[in-house]
Amino acid sequence: MSAATPEAKAGAENALTGSLKSLFAVAESYPELKANQNFTALQQELTNTEGFIAECRSHFNDTVLAFNNALQVFPANLVATLFQVPTPRFFGVPDEAAREPVKVQF
């Protein structure tokens, strides 16, 4: 929550995803925990949160793309060069393994 840069936020989200993978793996080992309604509600809420984060990341990247494209069009490119406007970077997942869905074996 306190990460300031997009790179730090991406790292924090990757750590959260890794923690969730291990939490779901532990749940598979304990059938009585898996059957608990509270844990089922927690799993659903975490799944919804991950979906929301992916949606926000996509929206951010779309906005960065539009901004970067606008900086390349006349007269904005002259103003951007004059004031040395930095081009923002995309908010991506650097690790290929983090992009794969969680694999659960029964």
Side-chain angles (χ1 to χ4, degrees):
M1 297 293 288
S2 64
T5 64
E7 292 82 12
K9 288 180 183 181
E13 287 177 13
N14 290 339
L16 174 65
T17 301
S19 298
L20 293 177
K21 287 179 185 179
S22 63
L23 175 66
F24 290 150
V26 168
E28 292 297 323
S29 301
Y30 297 97
E32 63 277 355
L33 178 63
K34 189 176 175 185
N36 188 334
Q37 289 179 344
N38 290 334
F39 189 76
T40 305
L42 173 65
Q43 281 184 315
Q44 184 62 40
E45 186 63 32
L46 291 174
T47 302
N48 291 342
T49 302
E50 282 187 327
F52 180 70
I53 289 171
E55 227 176 275
C56 290
R57 180 181 287 164
S58 175
H59 177 69
F60 179 84
N61 286 340
D62 289 344
T63 305
V64 167
L65 179 65
F67 182 76
N68 287 343
N69 287 342
L71 288 179
Q72 296 176 2
V73 179
F74 181 80
N77 61 351
L78 298 176
V79 175
T81 304
L82 180 66
F83 290 106
Q84 299 177 350
V85 176
T87 55
R89 295 175 55 193
F90 289 104
F91 197 95
V93 179
D95 185 350
E96 284 294 324
R99 294 180 183 180
E100 295 180 13
V102 180
K103 295 177 183 172
V104 179
Q105 296 178 352
F106 296 101

